């Protein structure tokens, strides 16, 4: 059995010209030591600035020096390339699929959620929206509403090209078009904090050999100025919660279901302590996407819940009070049914004895 944690696969979608490639380049430039696998869907129809740095790759898979592997594929090849990228030899931490501007992200999501590859897991769908062309894009592409309905996180890009009144109008429209609670992150030039999607690892590789990351970072600095590169972080607040007491699965899921729209990401580890479910549960949420991954506690590892909550305009003390209310003083008295609300967010959950496993939630096409 594979003991590695599955690699999260994030779908980056949006119509032509919305700024997907710019967002992707910013994520690559700010990734630190994280090894990112990139899949560019329908490569022939779009220009990928990241590829122009490394050279034309055609339809082959290449290594780009800084630990980033890129593929240019069509939809029928997606599963095969994901299998190659997730091979242990590449030590990839996260995979980002840049969907074609004319792709149907719902189909990509279904393919990922139905994948039998144990080395990957669906990590959420990010929809990039052009603020300056919002109305024109909706007119040209009525399917916009369908795409927004399945998004876990919306990046409202090019906000520097609209005034405050227009931006507020678009955000009101998005609140109607997206599923309830879907966060909307404003951005200009595609600058969002990579921490919203994945953990950046400490940089350990030697610089100075014209690596892929060196080139991207240098281009970012020349084009925008180093002072502006840090602006993505200024828009977000981070709240940390730690407790040695177990959490009630039902109260914790209720907290997650009610999380405010400004809370973009939640990550960490949770101890529930329910009999039969004493494992450590890794929790990962991007927007409204939520996944738990159980794993054994390490030898000598304390049974402690640790969470990091990243958002904008959130009430940090209020979030902490709500999480404190999730603590459970007597988890050993809870029945196994109390964990069902958590297990429905675990990939391929094991059924409880004598019960049928709950079906994994399917992506919704409803707004």
């Amino acid at each position: 059995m594979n003991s590695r944690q599955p690699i999260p696969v994030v779908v980056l979608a949006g119509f032509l010209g919305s700024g997907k490639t710019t967002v992707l380049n910013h994520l690559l430039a700010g990734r630190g030591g994280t090894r990112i696998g990139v899949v560019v869907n329908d490569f022939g129809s779009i220009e990928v600035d990241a590829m122009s740095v490394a050279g034309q790759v055609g339809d082959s898979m290449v290594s780009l020096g800084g630990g980033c592997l890129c593929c240019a594929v069509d939809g029928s090849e997606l599963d095969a390339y994901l299998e190659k990228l997730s091979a242990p030899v590449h030590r990839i931490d996260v995979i980002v699929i840049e969907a074609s501007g004319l792709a149907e992200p719902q189909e990509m999501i279904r393919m990922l959620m139905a994948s039998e590859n144990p080395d990957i897991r669906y990590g959420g769908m990010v929809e990039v929206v052009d603020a300056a062309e919002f109305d024109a894009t909706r007119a040209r592409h009525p399917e916009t509403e369908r795409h927004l309905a399945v998004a876990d996180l919306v990046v409202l890009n090019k906000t520097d090209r609209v005034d405050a009144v227009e931006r507020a109008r678009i955000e009101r429209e998005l609140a109607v078009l997206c599923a309830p609670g879907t966060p909307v992150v404003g951005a200009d030039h595609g600058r969002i904090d990579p921490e919203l999607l994945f953990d950046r690892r400490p940089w350990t590789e030697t610089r100075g050999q014209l690596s892929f990351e060196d080139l991207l970072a240098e281009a970012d600095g020349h084009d925008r100025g180093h002072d502006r590169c840090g602006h993505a972080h200024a828009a977000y607040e981070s709240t940390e919660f730690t407790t040695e007491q177990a959490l009630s699965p039902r109260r914790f899921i209720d907290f997650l279901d009610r999380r405010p729209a400004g809370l973009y990401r939640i990550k960490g580890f949770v101890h529930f302590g329910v009999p039969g479910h004493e494992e450590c549960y890794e929790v990962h949420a991007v927007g409204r996407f939520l996944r738990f991954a159980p794993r054994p506690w390490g030898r000598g590892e304390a049974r402690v819940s640790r969470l990091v909550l990243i958002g904008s305009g959130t009430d940090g003390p209020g979030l902490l009070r709500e999480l404190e209310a999730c603590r459970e003083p007597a988890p050993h008295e809870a029945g196994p049914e109390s964990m069902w609300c958590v297990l429905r967010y675990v990939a391929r959950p094991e059924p409880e004895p004598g019960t049928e496993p709950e079906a994994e939630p399917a992506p919704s096409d409803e707004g």
Side-chain angles (χ1 to χ4, degrees):
M1 179 180 295
N2 182 13
S3 60
R4 294 194 307 148
Q5 287 293 319
I7 300 169
V9 181
V10 178
V11 177
L12 183 64
F15 289 102
L16 295 171
S18 62
K20 297 188 305 298
T21 299
T22 307
V23 171
L24 175 60
N25 283 345
H26 182 74
L27 294 175
L28 291 170
R31 65 188 173 89
T34 303
R35 295 176 67 87
I36 303 177
V38 177
V39 177
V40 181
N41 175 236
D42 202 1
F43 178 77
S45 67
I46 55 178
E47 178 182 353
V48 184
D49 296 337
M51 297 304 175
S52 68
V53 174
Q56 177 71 27
V57 299
D59 5 344
S60 62
M61 182 172 70
V62 296
S63 174
L64 298 179
C68 177
L69 296 173
C70 291
C71 307
V73 307
D74 62 32
S76 63
E77 298 172 316
L78 180 60
D79 202 51
Y81 274 92
L82 288 174
E83 184 174 353
K84 290 181 180 180
L85 281 174
S86 60
V89 66
H90 300 313
R91 297 184 291 114
I92 292 294
D93 299 306
V94 62
I95 297 172
V96 178
I97 299 176
E98 181 184 355
S100 161
L102 302 177
E104 285 292 342
Q106 299 98 316
E107 295 306 315
M108 206 166 289
I109 293 170
R110 290 189 180 100
M111 185 184 302
L112 291 170
M113 296 186 77
S115 174
E116 296 182 357
N117 182 350
D119 293 324
I120 65 168
R121 62 171 172 82
Y122 175 56
M125 197 270 266
V126 179
E127 179 79 8
V128 182
V129 173
D130 184 343
E133 298 292 333
F134 179 70
D135 293 328
T137 300
R138 288 187 66 189
R140 288 195 306 270
H141 302 286
E143 62 270 32
T144 298
E145 298 185 9
R146 193 167 65 249
H147 295 187
L148 288 169
V150 298
D152 298 297
L153 180 70
V154 174
V155 175
L156 182 59
N157 196 29
K158 306 184 186 180
T159 53
D160 55 313
R161 294 177 56 188
V162 297
D163 59 28
V165 173
E166 176 66 1
R167 176 174 174 174
R169 180 190 70 84
I170 295 171
E171 289 177 343
R172 288 194 298 270
E173 295 263 2
L174 290 173
V176 173
L177 296 171
C178 297
T182 303
V184 177
V185 180
D188 64 271
H189 298 91
R191 288 191 290 270
I192 65 169
D193 192 338
E195 291 283 351
L196 294 181
L197 302 180
F198 55 81
D199 294 330
R200 283 177 292 190
R201 303 185 185 281
W203 177 259
T204 57
E205 298 177 51
T206 302
R207 288 177 178 264
Q209 298 181 4
L210 204 60
S211 72
F212 187 52
E213 177 152 346
D214 290 333
L215 289 171
L216 284 172
E218 182 179 345
D220 190 66
H222 286 170
D223 292 345
R224 304 180 187 116
H226 293 291
D227 290 339
R228 297 189 65 190
C229 292
H231 283 191
H233 302 274
Y236 311 122
E237 303 97 32
S238 177
T239 301
E240 297 183 8
F241 173 77
T242 303
T243 180
E244 296 180 359
Q245 201 165 2
L247 297 187
S248 161
R250 287 172 174 161
R251 291 199 294 274
F252 185 56
I253 289 294
D254 184 56
F255 164 79
L256 294 174
D257 286 342
R258 294 182 292 102
R259 62 191 186 271
L263 187 54
Y264 304 136
R265 188 175 182 215
I266 301 172
K267 58 181 180 176
F269 305 91
V270 179
H271 172 51
F272 293 114
V274 175
H277 300 281
E278 291 92 350
E279 308 100 318
C280 173
Y281 280 80
E282 178 183 355
V283 59
H284 172 79
V286 173
R288 65 191 182 97
F289 172 77
L290 175 64
R291 176 67 69 233
F292 286 93
R295 66 163 175 82
W297 294 96
R299 179 175 296 180
E301 184 179 2
R303 269 57 169 172
V304 174
S305 294
R306 295 185 177 92
L307 296 169
V308 177
L309 303 95
I310 302 172
S312 176
T314 54
D315 175 10
L319 292 174
L320 291 177
R321 285 193 296 270
E322 291 190 55
L323 286 169
E324 290 284 351
C326 294
R327 296 192 301 176
E328 174 54 61
H332 56 280
E333 296 180 2
E337 69 278 359
S338 66
M339 284 293 294
W340 292 347
C341 57
V342 172
L343 296 179
R344 69 190 301 263
Y345 295 107
V346 174
R348 302 175 184 87
E350 292 293 332
E352 294 293 326
T355 66
E356 291 295 326
E358 293 193 38
E360 183 167 327
S364 171
D365 292 338
E366 299 177 0

